[in-house]
Amino acid sequence: GADLFQFVDFFVVLPGTNIDEAQPTTTLQSRNLVSNIAIVPGDYELTIRDPISATILAGPTAVSLDAGGFYSVLITDATGGATVDITLFDDFN
């Protein structure tokens, strides 16, 4: 996982949502970047933000979630260390 940032805010929001006006879906701590969340099927955007500086680290990335799907997201430090990369696993298309 990403360890250049002490915490990251993880947003799963409806397309076009201003995350400055939204609460994070979850906040993850470096070296313990594991969280399970339940989300209603639909179209969303994933965004990762540094909660300390409010800098967008990745996204928004458009995703579609289906009923009964299992989705995993890996957040890793990007080359250069200023952002993160998002890798989608399992039922993401």
Side-chain angles (χ1 to χ4, degrees), residues 16-73:
T17 298
N18 180 351
I19 63 165
D20 292 331
E21 300 172 357
Q23 293 295 316
T25 305
T26 190
T27 298
L28 305 170
Q29 185 175 3
S30 179
R31 304 267 182 205
N32 189 23
L33 299 177
V34 176
S35 182
N36 292 312
I37 54 177
I39 297 178
V40 175
D43 295 327
Y44 294 95
E45 291 177 340
L46 303 178
T47 302
I48 309 300
R49 179 180 73 183
D50 177 356
I52 296 168
S53 68
T55 301
I56 302 298
L57 302 174
T61 301
V63 296
S64 292
L65 307 179
D66 295 324
F70 183 82
Y71 302 89
S72 298
V73 178

